[in-house]
């Protein structure tokens, strides 16, 4: 049966992050199955820079604009991927029209905010409960995150895994890098919530390499002159760096998944991480080492089989990601969309 899905997201190109990558791959997989997917993104609206991240711009949507977009698509399903301005307006319209919708939880917003502003995490979790519990299911990437969110009072939690491009990220891209080995690598946004000093302060042999951009890049470059900060790298250049590193160190304690972990594994690079949500799910039965002692984990990962790391990544696929997404939508009540194609207006 032909289906039309509308995904509302505040995270979109030119941002480079796990949310955008996941939505791109979801679109590709759904289109291969003949399912029409449309995105409502900040591209269609006036925008303003996000505080702390001037390169990320948030939409300034008017309710009428968003309602018109929903009417134009006339979707069978509505999924709100983010809790930003677009997500908030779309949620409000769905509630007023009594249209079912699902949401997803990608970012630890309470921890993100409290790291920068004197706002208790409990306040942010209260607000997030209002946002997500009003829908028909909140999708999370891992089982441990679902358990954690349930303890915070969220309900109707659904699993939505992630995948990896095992053609792009391939051990065959390994080459000599101009740094002393062993090479300990981190890739991602260079920002306070990524907890990079926990990696950069470690006493490790060889070299530490950081790939990525972000608000803390200049300060960390000055603080750690012996670390090789390569800035943003994409595509085959990034894939070659992954494959050429000896250990991928993931110091974040707040990521909800960490697509970079899969990118490293697919490249044959073992992972060292803290035993927190995301790493302990992905690495529970192979692929690297998790330990409360990150230095010990990094050194132990040096001896881990690169082939086993690759095999672990092969258990994840974007087709399975799409299958879970569609399965989660299948349980959403359809009666409210009986007027599909009819302009309902803004209430």
């Amino acid at each position: 049966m032909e289906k039309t899905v509308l995904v509302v997201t505040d995270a979109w190109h030119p941002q480079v992050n796990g949310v955008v990558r996941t939505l791109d791959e979801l679109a590709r997989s759904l289109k291969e199955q003949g399912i029409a997917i449309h995105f409502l993104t900040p591209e269609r609206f006036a925008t303003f820079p996000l505080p702390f991240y001037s390169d990320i711009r948030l939409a300034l949507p008017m309710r009428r604009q968003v309602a018109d977009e929903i009417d134009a698509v006339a979707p069978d399903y509505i999924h709100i991927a983010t809790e930003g301005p677009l997500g908030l307006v779309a949620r409000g319209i769905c509630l007023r029209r009594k249209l079912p919708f699902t949401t997803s939880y990608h970012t630890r917003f309470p921890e993100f905010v409290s790291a920068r502003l004197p706002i208790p995490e409990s306040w942010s979790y209260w607000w997030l409960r209002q946002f997500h519990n009003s829908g028909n299911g909140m999708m999370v990437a891992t089982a441990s995150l679902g358990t954690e969110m349930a303890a915070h009072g969220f309900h109707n939690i659904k699993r939505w895994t992630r995948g990896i491009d095992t053609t792009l990220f391939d051990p065959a891209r390994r080459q000599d890098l101009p740094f002393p080995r062993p090479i300990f690598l981190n890739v991602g946004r260079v920002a306070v919530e990524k907890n990079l000093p926990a990696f950069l302060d470690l006493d490790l042999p060889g070299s530490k390499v950081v790939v990525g951009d972000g608000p803390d890049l200049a300060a960390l470059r000055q603080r750690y002159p012996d670390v090789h900060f390569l800035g943003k790298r994409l595509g085959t250049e990034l894939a070659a760096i992954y494959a050429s590193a000896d250990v991928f160190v993931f110091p974040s304690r707040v990521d909800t998944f960490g697509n970079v972990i899969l990118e490293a594994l697919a490249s044959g690079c073992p992972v060292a991480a803290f035993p927190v949500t995301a790493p302990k799910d992905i690495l529970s039965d192979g692929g690297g080492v998790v330990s409360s002692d990150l230095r010990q984990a990094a050194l132990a990962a040096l001896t881990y089989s690169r082939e086993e790391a690759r095999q672990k990544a092969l258990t994840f696929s974007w087709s399975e990601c799409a299958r879970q997404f569609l399965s989660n939508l299948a349980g959403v009540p359809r009666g409210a969309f009986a007027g599909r194609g009819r302009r309902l207006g803004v209430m």
Side-chain angles (χ1 to χ4, degrees):
M1 183 177 64
E2 182 180 350
K3 297 181 178 67
T4 300
V5 179
L6 175 64
V7 176
V8 183
T9 177
D10 294 273
W12 198 242
H13 301 285
Q15 295 177 38
V16 179
N17 56 44
V19 180
V20 177
R21 170 60 62 83
T22 298
L23 295 179
D24 277 344
E25 294 295 338
L26 175 68
R28 181 185 59 79
S29 294
L30 293 187
K31 287 176 181 176
E32 289 176 354
Q33 299 179 49
I35 297 171
I37 182 168
H38 299 263
F39 291 98
L40 182 54
T41 76
E43 291 179 318
R44 305 190 187 188
F45 305 91
T47 61
F48 66 96
L50 176 67
F52 312 113
Y53 290 103
S54 59
D55 58 330
I56 297 178
R57 303 191 66 85
L58 296 179
L60 288 167
M62 299 296 291
R63 187 177 298 277
R64 169 58 67 184
Q65 289 177 285
V66 176
D68 286 346
E69 293 286 348
I70 294 174
D71 288 329
V73 174
D76 295 294
Y77 299 97
I78 297 174
H79 179 74
I80 302 176
T82 55
E83 307 96 338
L86 272 175
L88 282 168
V89 173
R91 170 184 173 274
I93 291 170
C94 288
L95 291 176
R96 285 170 174 78
R97 294 180 172 186
K98 295 182 171 54
L99 295 176
F101 63 95
T102 54
T103 65
S104 49
Y105 185 72
H106 295 277
T107 303
R108 290 183 182 273
F109 184 74
E111 290 81 359
F112 179 95
V113 172
S114 65
R116 294 163 174 79
L117 299 171
I119 297 178
E121 292 180 11
S122 59
W123 294 9
S124 298
Y125 274 114
W126 176 88
W127 179 82
L128 285 171
R129 280 194 296 273
Q130 314 314 304
F131 185 94
H132 291 284
N133 285 348
S134 61
N136 295 82
M138 179 182 76
M139 303 187 198
V140 300
T142 67
S144 64
L145 179 60
T147 299
E148 181 182 330
M149 299 306 287
H152 281 295
F154 294 79
H155 56 70
N156 201 7
I157 297 169
K158 302 175 182 292
R159 281 288 305 282
W160 181 26
T161 190
R162 300 292 181 265
I164 183 64
D165 182 344
T166 55
T167 300
L168 173 61
F169 298 101
D170 188 328
R173 299 186 187 275
R174 188 170 177 84
Q175 57 188 237
D176 289 331
L177 295 179
F179 313 120
R181 290 193 180 274
I183 295 172
F184 296 90
L185 173 69
N186 177 269
V187 177
R189 188 167 59 249
V190 184
V192 63
E193 71 273 8
K194 297 301 183 179
N195 195 30
L196 282 174
F199 163 44
L200 303 182
D201 285 334
L202 296 178
D203 179 15
L204 294 171
S207 305
K208 297 170 185 170
V209 175
V210 174
V211 174
D213 199 357
D216 287 4
L217 180 58
L220 291 180
R221 270 182 169 151
Q222 184 174 11
R223 180 176 169 185
Y224 299 98
D226 294 332
V227 174
H228 305 280
F229 291 93
L230 305 186
K232 183 186 294 185
R233 304 296 175 94
L234 301 171
T236 56
E237 184 180 20
L238 173 61
I241 295 172
Y242 272 121
S244 305
D246 297 297
V247 172
F248 184 82
V249 183
F250 187 77
S252 174
R253 293 180 176 273
V254 299
D255 274 55
T256 57
F257 189 79
N259 291 55
V260 292
I261 295 177
L262 292 188
E263 292 173 356
L265 294 175
S267 304
C269 185
V271 177
F274 289 117
V276 295
T277 296
K280 70 180 182 182
D281 288 274
I282 299 172
L283 305 173
S284 62
D285 57 352
V289 181
V290 294
S291 173
S292 56
D293 184 336
L294 191 59
R295 179 177 182 273
Q296 182 275 329
L299 293 174
L302 278 173
T303 65
Y304 199 89
S305 166
R306 299 182 67 84
E307 177 58 29
E308 288 185 32
R310 170 73 173 180
Q311 289 302 314
K312 178 63 179 179
L314 295 178
T315 64
F316 291 84
S317 71
W318 288 117
S319 60
E320 175 61 15
C321 170
R323 188 201 67 77
Q324 284 191 4
F325 182 80
L326 290 176
S327 177
N328 293 337
L329 295 187
V332 176
R334 311 303 324 131
F337 284 97
R340 182 176 181 271
R342 174 171 58 86
R343 186 179 181 85
L344 298 178
V346 181
M347 299 174 61

